[in-house]
Amino acid sequence: MAGPRMAITGPVLDASDPVGLAKFYERLLGWTMVECEGPRPGYPPEDGWAKLRSPAGDLKIEFQWEQHYAPPTWPPVAGEQQMTMHLDIAVESLDVGVAWALEVGATLAKHQPQEGVRVMLDPAGHPCCLFAAQV
Protein backbone atom coordinates (compact mmCIF):
# COMPACT_ATOMS: atom_id res chain seq x y z
CA MET A 1 0.00 0.00 0.00
CA ALA A 2 1.32 3.44 -0.92
CA GLY A 3 1.21 6.11 1.75
CA PRO A 4 -0.66 9.38 1.36
CA ARG A 5 1.03 12.42 -0.16
CA MET A 6 2.77 14.46 2.52
CA ALA A 7 4.79 17.67 2.71
CA ILE A 8 6.75 19.27 5.51
CA THR A 9 5.64 22.88 5.82
CA GLY A 10 8.11 23.92 8.51
CA PRO A 11 9.26 23.43 12.08
CA VAL A 12 7.81 24.30 15.46
CA LEU A 13 10.35 25.64 17.96
CA ASP A 14 9.88 25.49 21.71
CA ALA A 15 10.75 28.58 23.73
CA SER A 16 10.23 30.23 27.10
CA ASP A 17 9.09 33.38 25.21
CA PRO A 18 7.54 32.17 21.94
CA VAL A 19 6.08 35.50 20.87
CA GLY A 20 9.39 37.28 21.47
CA LEU A 21 11.21 34.59 19.49
CA ALA A 22 8.66 34.87 16.68
CA LYS A 23 9.26 38.64 16.55
CA PHE A 24 13.02 38.00 16.29
CA TYR A 25 12.58 35.65 13.31
CA GLU A 26 9.96 37.97 11.77
CA ARG A 27 12.57 40.71 11.66
CA LEU A 28 15.50 38.44 10.75
CA LEU A 29 13.75 36.74 7.83
CA GLY A 30 11.31 39.45 6.78
CA TRP A 31 8.44 36.99 7.15
CA THR A 32 4.98 37.94 8.43
CA MET A 33 3.46 36.89 11.73
CA VAL A 34 0.12 35.49 10.62
CA GLU A 35 -1.14 34.15 13.95
CA CYS A 36 -0.39 34.89 17.59
CA GLU A 37 -2.15 33.55 20.67
CA GLY A 38 -1.76 33.54 24.42
CA PRO A 39 -1.42 33.50 27.21
CA ARG A 40 -4.13 30.91 27.84
CA PRO A 41 -6.35 31.32 30.90
CA GLY A 42 -4.60 29.97 33.98
CA TYR A 43 -1.15 29.98 32.36
CA PRO A 44 1.72 32.39 33.06
CA PRO A 45 2.16 35.57 30.98
CA GLU A 46 5.00 33.93 28.99
CA ASP A 47 2.61 31.31 27.59
CA GLY A 48 1.77 31.70 23.94
CA TRP A 49 2.08 30.52 20.40
CA ALA A 50 2.88 32.31 17.14
CA LYS A 51 3.21 31.45 13.47
CA LEU A 52 5.27 33.14 10.75
CA ARG A 53 4.67 32.55 7.06
CA SER A 54 7.18 33.03 4.24
CA PRO A 55 6.44 35.70 1.61
CA ALA A 56 5.68 32.96 -0.95
CA GLY A 57 3.30 31.35 1.54
CA ASP A 58 4.85 27.91 1.12
CA LEU A 59 6.74 27.68 4.43
CA LYS A 60 5.96 28.44 8.04
CA ILE A 61 7.74 28.48 11.38
CA GLU A 62 5.75 28.16 14.60
CA PHE A 63 6.85 28.97 18.14
CA GLN A 64 5.26 27.44 21.21
CA TRP A 65 5.68 27.97 24.92
CA GLU A 66 7.44 25.23 26.84
CA GLN A 67 7.34 25.57 30.61
CA HIS A 68 10.56 23.61 31.08
CA TYR A 69 12.43 24.96 28.05
CA ALA A 70 16.21 24.74 28.35
CA PRO A 71 18.41 26.21 25.60
CA PRO A 72 20.47 23.60 23.77
CA THR A 73 24.19 23.48 24.39
CA TRP A 74 26.36 24.29 21.36
CA PRO A 75 28.61 22.54 20.74
CA PRO A 76 26.99 19.48 22.32
CA VAL A 77 28.07 18.47 25.82
CA ALA A 78 27.27 15.02 27.22
CA GLY A 79 24.56 15.15 29.85
CA GLU A 80 23.29 18.62 28.85
CA GLN A 81 20.35 19.69 26.69
CA GLN A 82 21.14 18.70 23.11
CA MET A 83 20.20 20.47 19.91
CA THR A 84 17.59 18.28 18.24
CA MET A 85 17.34 20.33 15.05
CA HIS A 86 18.49 23.62 13.60
CA LEU A 87 17.51 25.98 10.81
CA ASP A 88 19.70 26.41 7.72
CA ILE A 89 19.29 29.95 6.39
CA ALA A 90 20.62 30.93 2.97
CA VAL A 91 21.92 34.50 2.65
CA GLU A 92 23.18 36.40 -0.41
CA SER A 93 26.33 37.45 1.47
CA LEU A 94 27.57 35.61 4.55
CA ASP A 95 29.19 38.73 6.05
CA VAL A 96 26.07 40.86 5.50
CA GLY A 97 23.84 38.06 6.81
CA VAL A 98 25.90 37.67 9.99
CA ALA A 99 25.89 41.45 10.56
CA TRP A 100 22.09 41.57 10.13
CA ALA A 101 21.53 38.59 12.45
CA LEU A 102 23.68 40.26 15.12
CA GLU A 103 21.79 43.55 14.70
CA VAL A 104 18.39 41.91 15.24
CA GLY A 105 19.46 39.96 18.33
CA ALA A 106 21.34 36.78 17.39
CA THR A 107 24.76 35.95 18.77
CA LEU A 108 27.67 34.35 16.97
CA ALA A 109 28.41 30.92 18.45
CA LYS A 110 31.95 30.51 19.78
CA HIS A 111 32.29 27.13 18.06
CA GLN A 112 32.34 27.40 14.24
CA PRO A 113 32.85 23.88 12.80
CA GLN A 114 33.25 24.67 9.12
CA GLU A 115 34.33 27.32 6.63
CA GLY A 116 31.58 29.07 4.68
CA VAL A 117 28.95 28.57 7.39
CA ARG A 118 28.32 30.67 10.48
CA VAL A 119 26.53 29.16 13.45
CA MET A 120 24.34 31.77 15.09
CA LEU A 121 22.26 31.45 18.26
CA ASP A 122 18.79 32.96 18.33
CA PRO A 123 17.60 34.75 21.50
CA ALA A 124 16.29 31.43 22.91
CA GLY A 125 19.62 29.70 22.24
CA HIS A 126 18.58 27.63 19.23
CA PRO A 127 21.48 27.28 16.77
CA CYS A 128 20.86 28.29 13.16
CA CYS A 129 23.36 28.16 10.33
CA LEU A 130 23.84 30.97 7.84
CA PHE A 131 25.44 30.10 4.52
CA ALA A 132 25.94 31.99 1.27
CA ALA A 133 23.71 30.91 -1.61
CA GLN A 134 21.59 32.40 -4.33
CA VAL A 135 18.29 33.37 -2.71
Side-chain angles (χ1 to χ4, degrees):
M1 174 177 146
R5 292 178 57 179
M6 296 183 181
I8 294 175
T9 60
V12 179
L13 301 178
D14 290 347
S16 58
D17 178 9
V19 175
L21 190 57
K23 289 177 181 178
F24 163 78
Y25 278 104
E26 181 178 41
R27 186 157 182 224
L28 178 72
L29 300 172
W31 291 18
T32 301
M33 190 179 306
V34 295
E35 294 182 59
C36 184
E37 298 176 1
R40 295 170 288 182
Y43 283 78
E46 301 80 28
D47 176 55
W49 169 85
K51 182 194 296 186
L52 302 182
R53 181 132 334 256
S54 68
D58 57 340
L59 296 173
K60 60 88 178 168
I61 302 175
E62 295 179 44
F63 307 87
Q64 66 184 9
W65 181 69
E66 171 52 54
Q67 179 179 2
H68 303 291
Y69 176 75
T73 302
W74 177 255
V77 175
E80 294 192 25
Q81 178 63 47
Q82 301 292 304
M83 171 183 68
T84 58
M85 62 148 294
H86 70 275
L87 301 176
D88 280 343
I89 301 173
V91 295
E92 292 176 325
S93 161
L94 188 54
D95 291 338
V96 173
V98 168
W100 174 245
L102 292 170
E103 183 176 323
V104 300
T107 57
L108 183 65
K110 292 179 183 176
H111 178 64
Q112 297 294 324
Q114 67 190 76
E115 201 60 38
V117 175
R118 291 296 169 267
V119 179
M120 308 299 294
L121 303 175
D122 72 20
H126 300 107
C128 57
C129 294
L130 302 184
F131 64 96
Q134 188 173 3
V135 292

